[in-house]
Structure formats: C-alpha cells, structure tokens
Amino acid sequence: MEVCLKFSGVKPKVILDDNEECKMSSHTSDLVWKIKRTGDHYTCNCYAWVYQKNTPVSVRSCKHLKELFGYQYEDARLLSSAGSKNANANSASASTSNDQADAEKTKKRARSLSVSSDEDDDVKDTSPKKKAKRSPGASAPTSSGPSNITVNVLLAQTWTEEKGCDPTGYWISEKLDGVRAFFNGQGFYSRLGNKFFAPDDFSAQWRSKLPSNATLDGELFTGRNKFQDTVSIVRSGASNRWPEVKYYVFDAPFMGNKPFEERLAFLKKIFGDSDSPTYPNVILVEHVKCTGKDHVLDKLQELQKKGAEGLMLRQPLSRYEPKRSSTLLKVKTFYDAEAKVVAHHKGSGKNAAVMGAIEVEMACGKHFRIGTGFSDAQRRKPPQIGSIVVYKFQELSKSGTPRFPVYVGDAIDKTEARDAEMRVIDSGDGDDDE
C-alpha cells in the first residue's frame, strides 16, 4: 500500500517503494546521504536526522528529505504525522485505491541527486560526529517546542564594489560565521526547521521578557574562526559546552511590517547595546550607518583582519521579508589560487552523464574537490588531468583545505599550483569572542 503517497492532497516529487533506497551526493565533498522509505516514514543517515533521538521517526525530517520530496510535501507529511500516526495510516489506506491509478501513471523512480553546499547554509560541515556525553552538572537540554517547524527567514543577496548599489545610508554589521538560528518563543531552530536542543537555562533569563508572539532571528556563535566548534556544540544535544555559545540577535521577524530601525530599537530595549548586554549570552549585533562605498571597503578590511567573515548591509526603513531580498546584502571577499587537476569524478542527478567534480592538488600537497562554477559545456569537457586551474574560496578549513571552492577557469599561463596567501589575523585585540 502506498501509505506515503499523499498527505493533505500533496504528492512527493519522487516516489519510493517500501524499503527502496536512494542516494544524494554533494558536489563539493565525498559525502553521500542514503534516504530510505520504510512503511509510512523515511529515514536519512545524515546527522540532522539521526540525532533527533527524542522525536518519533515518523515526524523526523532533514534538508535532504525536503530537497528530494519537496518542501511542501514534507510540511504536509510532518503535520499529518504529528497529529496521529494511526489516523494518517487509516486515511492513506482509504485513499489508496484512487491514488494507485494516478501513481502508476505519474510514478518516477528515485534517482541520485546532487546537492551543492550553499555558502549561507546553517550547517556547512555535515560530517557526522559522536554525540557529546553530558558531564555532571551540565544543563539538561530543553524539552519545550516541537522538534521540527517551518522556518522562513530573510536571506541576503550579494553586494560587490563593481556592481553593487550605493550603500550610503545602509546599516553595516559584521557577517558572523556562526549557525543561523530562529527563535520561535520556545526554542531555537535552523533555517531548515530542525531544532537545536539548547539547555533550558540558555534562554530562561530573557524568554519571559518577550511578547508571547515574539520571534527572533540571529546566529549561535562562539567567536571568529570557530565555526566548526560552534557546529559541534549546537548539534550535540546535551553538550556541556553550551556556555561557550552566545546568541547574536539581529532582527525580530514578528515585527516584520515595521521599519528595521523600529525593530532594532525593540531589540535594544530588551537586550541592551552590543557593548553592554543585558544578558550575558545574548548580544545585539552592532549596526552603524554607512557613509559610502569607501566606508564599506574600509570596514570590511578592518574586520577581516580580525578574522571576520564579511559584512552585511541592511536597507534603511526596510521590512522583514521571509525570502531572499535585495534589502539585505552580504559583502565578502574571496581568495584565489591555482591547483593541479589529478582526477575527474562522475556526477549524479542531472550531471550523471558528465563530470560532477574535479579533484585537485594544492601546492602544499593537499587534495580536495571542486564541484561548482562549471558550465554544462565544461562539465562535458572538463579541464585535463595534469592541467592547472584557478579557483576561489572563502577560507581554509581546520584541515587546511579550501571551504566552498569555486572553479574560475583554466590557468593557461601556469605550470605549477599556487596556494593563496591568507590574510594575517590580528591577535591580542580582545575581540575574539564577539
């Protein structure tokens, strides 16, 4: 019986038979996620799905399930499953006879899909890690709020010096390299709607100070150049390292129809100024008025020397739009370097018949893959093995390989790889934990 066929009239983009499995692979790493249907639910071997241990499997979800079956379908499935598992099964069985005829006509076999890393993803390092053991005296994780909700947040477009708008009058803030977190009044959730199991006492001091309908937008952050540390803590459920985390709040979505300045004033009233916070673990992100392009470039250089990821520009008087919007702009610089091509790796999904990624060797000898930046023609005829290519990236991982590498082109005038000269990060400025 196709008990997973339809929820609230919504069908999945891809239909799996019972016990059928499919794989989703990344363009930029060796990670492969396995998705399987078992009766009335789906499983994924990614960390986000596996460690929802306090949640019944029938109401777990993750970014890969949403990508495969469709966000609308997953929302409908989770809503139905959360209500009553038995009722869902009976309802689905009753409609099976009608659905099966349509299913035979429209059924598509699940195929391998390629999921590229997005530079704004809330969880950029998806390597599974062991769940941290709680030490004596560590705070217990919160049990309030559902484990998965629908989250729609404001997303930024990119600003460049060459093509960007005149930023005069915009609000400048630091782009934090943390984990995006939406607070719904009960708990913290990722952009994908998965719950971060922060301890109860993390928000106990200030939660009651907010209006009952209040929602917040911000980042869970442990400091500059500590992205991987932040990820390991917020993913680990009962980690005893939550005291290292601070919530850097920068907006109040529930006041979305109010101008940004009014929302900022509300946040300042609750949480205080960035340099004198009311609560030790909640910091209001500092915003300063932009005086022009030179101000942006000077501020970018100043903060990046301290290890910052970049800047954000907020349009004055703008509303909170729960989508990618030109009212919010991100400003970042990339490093560029050259590497030698050592292998081609076959793609999957739409790239199944062509190259999905090239494996390259850095001048220092480290290997990594580049899977984005290629045109369809370049995928059909990729750079030759042994040739030198130019790539750009944001920063190095702890292992010394580039994060989010993008293919730029062939280095036809080069015969050897060249690693990027990384910016020197100022030390001893006392700002590392901002």
Side-chain angles (χ1 to χ4, degrees):
M1 293 186 177
E2 294 288 350
V3 294
C4 281
L5 183 62
K6 183 189 297 185
F7 287 96
S8 301
V10 182
K11 291 184 179 181
K13 294 194 298 184
V14 173
I15 297 176
L16 295 180
D17 288 329
D18 194 11
N19 292 317
E20 185 178 2
E21 183 180 280
C22 72
K23 297 179 180 179
M24 298 181 74
S25 59
S26 170
H27 280 317
T28 56
S29 72
D30 296 326
L31 297 175
V32 176
W33 309 119
K34 295 181 180 179
I35 294 175
K36 183 178 180 180
R37 174 185 167 186
T38 304
D40 64 348
H41 65 272
Y42 304 101
T43 61
C44 181
N45 68 339
C46 75
Y47 190 93
W49 192 95
V50 170
Y51 282 99
Q52 296 175 46
K53 289 192 172 181
N54 295 325
T55 305
V57 294
S58 61
V59 291
R60 295 188 198 182
S61 190
C62 66
K63 129 186 211 180
H64 310 106
L65 293 182
K66 293 176 180 179
E67 186 80 23
L68 179 64
F69 300 117
Y71 282 76
Q72 186 179 6
Y73 173 78
E74 273 296 274
D75 287 345
R77 181 180 71 82
L78 294 174
L79 184 63
S80 298
S81 298
S84 170
K85 184 176 178 180
N86 292 332
N88 290 340
N90 292 337
S91 176
S93 297
S95 62
T96 296
S97 58
N98 293 329
D99 292 338
Q100 282 181 331
D102 292 336
E104 291 304 315
K105 296 179 181 179
T106 62
K107 187 170 185 180
K108 294 182 281 187
R109 305 300 298 176
R111 63 188 185 279
S112 296
L113 299 178
S114 297
V115 182
S116 60
S117 297
D118 179 72
E119 65 186 17
D120 288 323
D121 279 353
D122 53 325
V123 179
K124 302 167 189 172
D125 173 12
T126 52
S127 304
K129 298 176 177 62
K130 291 183 179 179
K131 188 173 182 178
K133 294 181 179 179
R134 191 188 314 156
S135 62
S139 301
T142 180
S143 58
S144 60
S147 62
N148 190 282
I149 64 172
T150 298
V151 172
N152 295 300
V153 294
L154 173 62
L155 301 176
Q157 295 184 8
T158 300
W159 183 92
T160 62
E161 182 182 3
E162 298 78 15
K163 299 181 180 179
C165 64
D166 179 0
T168 303
Y170 277 59
W171 293 97
I172 300 177
S173 63
E174 179 177 339
K175 187 180 192 305
L176 301 172
D177 191 16
V179 177
R180 187 77 174 265
F182 175 85
F183 184 76
N184 74 337
Q186 294 180 298
F188 296 91
Y189 293 85
S190 73
R191 272 180 49 193
L192 301 175
N194 295 320
K195 186 173 183 179
F196 296 124
F197 287 91
D200 272 321
D201 57 10
F202 188 83
S203 59
Q205 285 185 299
W206 48 267
R207 190 167 51 210
S208 61
K209 308 298 183 182
L210 297 170
S212 59
N213 66 332
T215 56
L216 304 176
D217 194 1
E219 297 227 359
L220 296 170
F221 189 63
T222 57
R224 296 172 181 144
N225 299 306
K226 295 181 180 179
F227 169 74
Q228 292 177 337
D229 288 342
T230 307
V231 170
S232 67
I233 295 170
V234 302
R235 278 176 157 185
S236 59
S239 172
N240 56 11
R241 296 181 61 194
W242 267 96
E244 299 176 34
V245 180
K246 295 179 181 179
Y247 186 49
Y248 277 70
V249 62
F250 46 70
D251 215 327
F254 79 107
M255 297 175 63
N257 289 327
K258 304 287 186 181
F260 174 67
E261 290 79 0
E262 192 170 329
R263 303 197 302 272
L264 199 61
F266 164 80
L267 294 173
K268 184 176 291 188
K269 183 177 180 181
I270 299 292
F271 300 112
D273 291 315
S274 57
D275 56 355
S276 56
T278 305
Y279 306 99
N281 65 344
V282 183
I283 311 295
L284 177 61
V285 174
E286 181 182 19
H287 291 78
V288 297
K289 273 282 188 179
C290 177
T291 59
K293 282 189 177 183
D294 287 344
H295 188 188
V296 172
L297 300 176
D298 290 344
K299 192 68 174 178
L300 179 65
Q301 184 177 29
E302 172 196 335
L303 290 178
Q304 286 191 324
K305 282 185 177 180
K306 296 180 180 181
E309 183 180 2
L311 300 178
M312 303 300 295
L313 298 175
R314 183 67 66 94
Q315 186 182 76
L317 302 176
S318 59
R319 270 51 176 176
Y320 188 97
E321 300 178 288
K323 62 179 182 178
R324 196 168 296 280
S325 169
S326 60
T327 64
L328 181 65
L329 305 172
K330 56 189 174 183
V331 186
K332 297 166 65 172
T333 56
F334 284 85
Y335 295 102
D336 63 81
E338 291 95 38
K340 182 170 71 174
V341 180
V342 296
H344 298 154
H345 294 277
K346 187 178 179 181
S348 58
K350 69 175 184 179
N351 295 321
V354 295
M355 180 273 294
I358 57 173
E359 183 176 337
V360 298
E361 183 179 60
M362 302 170 67
C364 65
K366 294 182 181 292
H367 285 215
F368 67 95
R369 294 187 183 187
I370 305 175
T372 58
F374 298 99
S375 66
D376 290 342
Q378 289 167 334
R379 291 189 183 280
R380 290 191 294 270
K381 189 177 180 180
Q384 295 181 359
I385 293 177
S387 65
I388 304 297
V389 297
V390 181
Y391 65 94
K392 63 180 181 179
F393 65 100
Q394 295 176 18
E395 59 186 337
L396 294 178
S397 67
K398 285 186 176 181
S399 65
T401 56
R403 287 179 61 194
F404 313 116
V406 178
Y407 172 77
V408 175
D410 294 344
I412 57 176
D413 58 341
K414 303 291 176 61
T415 58
E416 295 182 354
R418 176 191 64 85
D419 293 343
E421 293 186 16
M422 306 300 290
R423 281 185 297 271
V424 176
I425 305 301
D426 291 345
S427 58
D429 60 8
D431 292 335
D432 284 352
D433 291 327
E434 285 185 2

